[in-house]
Amino acid sequence: MEVVLSIAGSDSSAGAGIQQDLKTITAHGCYGATVITSVTSQNTLGVQAAMPVPPDVVGQQLRAVLSDLEPRAIKIGMLPDAEVAQVVATELRAYLQQHPVAVVYDPVMVSTSGYPLMAPETIQIVTEQLFPLCTLITPNLPETTCLLQLIDKNIPSSFVQLAGETLARHFACAFLLKGGHADSPQMVDLLFECDGGVSRFATERIATGNLHGTGCTLSSAIASWLALGSELPDAVGKAKQFVTEAIRRSVSAGIGHGNGPLLMP
């Protein structure tokens, strides 16, 4: 059985983060291992509190898993501060030199409303030290805008083709620009690879208020398909289909009183 490691925060409502990653990885027939970076108190109505895990404990978790379980793919989610980001980058760099595996990073940088969730010093460590280790980065539109500001302030995120090509070329890894925040009848994501290849993935937009954990589900599904041997475009396409089915199942789930979680198809 292929092992997929999730490095992310804990969600007490189990709709996102480590808990949703584990459900997604298991649904793909893989074995999920975890490194918890932050413990959050949250539900479908929002986040009430968060406590970063001490960097040395994050490092200990990483070394414990990587020295024994030998993951075939790694998914990264929430990195709460610069110290934790530094530990993750350092430990992964050492591991990947000996065990090259796919790394999928869902950068939790900016909220849907545009509120910054990552301090500038953390962004610097992430972009300079962690991005070079990644196979794929999956920013939403606000996060794409944030990254473009670091490279060329004259490129708006609405110029998706130019934005994707610029990010992939500058950071030397593939980018999946997610279109879920765009106002259109379809959910259109664009995959930009380092060799200049571009793949388009369009799925129906399902009317629902239950979308908690969509980004976590997508990134951990992609990591699972990569662990199972799929090439990157195929892994993204299969993961997109999986997420669409999960959204469809969640429409009338009635879990919680706010933005409900996705249910595994």
Side-chain angles (χ1 to χ4, degrees):
M1 178 176 286
E2 309 298 352
V3 176
V4 178
L5 169 61
S6 171
I7 304 169
S10 169
D11 173 2
S12 52
S13 70
I18 287 288
Q19 289 87 343
Q20 185 70 356
D21 289 345
L22 282 176
K23 287 183 281 186
T24 302
I25 293 164
T26 301
H28 284 81
C30 296
Y31 181 86
T34 64
V35 169
I36 298 175
T37 59
S38 177
V39 177
T40 71
S41 301
Q42 66 175 288
N43 53 29
T44 63
L45 299 173
V47 178
Q48 286 79 51
M51 180 187 71
V53 174
D56 61 327
V57 177
V58 173
Q60 290 166 358
Q61 293 179 79
L62 272 166
R63 290 188 291 274
V65 173
L66 296 176
S67 66
D68 182 37
L69 300 188
E70 299 181 0
R72 289 293 304 275
I74 299 170
K75 173 262 168 84
I76 306 173
M78 181 183 184
L79 299 174
D81 53 43
E83 292 75 16
V84 168
Q86 181 66 70
V87 167
V88 170
T90 300
E91 295 293 337
L92 286 188
R93 186 183 303 110
Y95 180 78
L96 293 170
Q97 287 174 352
Q98 302 296 324
H99 307 84
V101 298
V103 177
V104 179
Y105 181 24
D106 180 20
V108 184
M109 301 174 67
V110 185
S111 71
T112 301
S113 61
Y115 185 81
L117 301 173
M118 187 179 284
E121 59 268 24
T122 309
I123 293 176
Q124 181 177 0
I125 291 174
V126 163
T127 55
E128 293 181 0
Q129 300 192 36
L130 196 56
F131 276 20
L133 307 176
C134 293
T135 306
L136 175 68
I137 299 169
T138 63
N140 58 29
L141 289 182
E143 290 157 352
T144 297
T145 299
C146 177
L147 291 173
L148 287 171
Q149 291 296 305
L150 302 176
I151 304 171
D152 187 341
K153 291 181 170 58
N154 295 318
I155 302 176
S157 57
S158 56
F159 291 1
V160 179
Q161 185 79 23
L162 179 58
E165 292 172 350
T166 301
L167 291 173
R169 182 174 59 253
H170 181 84
F171 291 110
C173 64
F175 273 78
L176 180 67
L177 301 193
K178 299 181 292 188
H181 291 83
D183 184 17
S184 64
Q186 284 188 317
M187 306 275 282
V188 179
D189 296 356
L190 292 174
L191 172 64
F192 296 87
E193 298 185 75
C194 297
D195 62 2
V198 181
S199 302
R200 183 178 187 272
F201 304 91
T203 55
E204 62 180 303
R205 183 180 295 275
I206 299 170
T208 177
N210 298 328
L211 294 169
H212 184 51
T214 304
C216 302
T217 306
L218 177 63
S219 55
S220 54
I222 294 171
S224 297
W225 280 113
L226 291 172
L228 292 168
S230 292
E231 296 296 324
L232 184 57
D234 289 338
V236 172
K238 293 172 183 174
K240 282 277 292 178
Q241 293 173 3
F242 181 87
V243 170
T244 299
E245 291 304 316
I247 293 173
R248 185 176 290 111
R249 284 204 65 196
S250 74
V251 171
S252 57
I255 298 175
H257 297 85
N259 181 15
L262 305 191
L263 301 182
M264 297 299 99

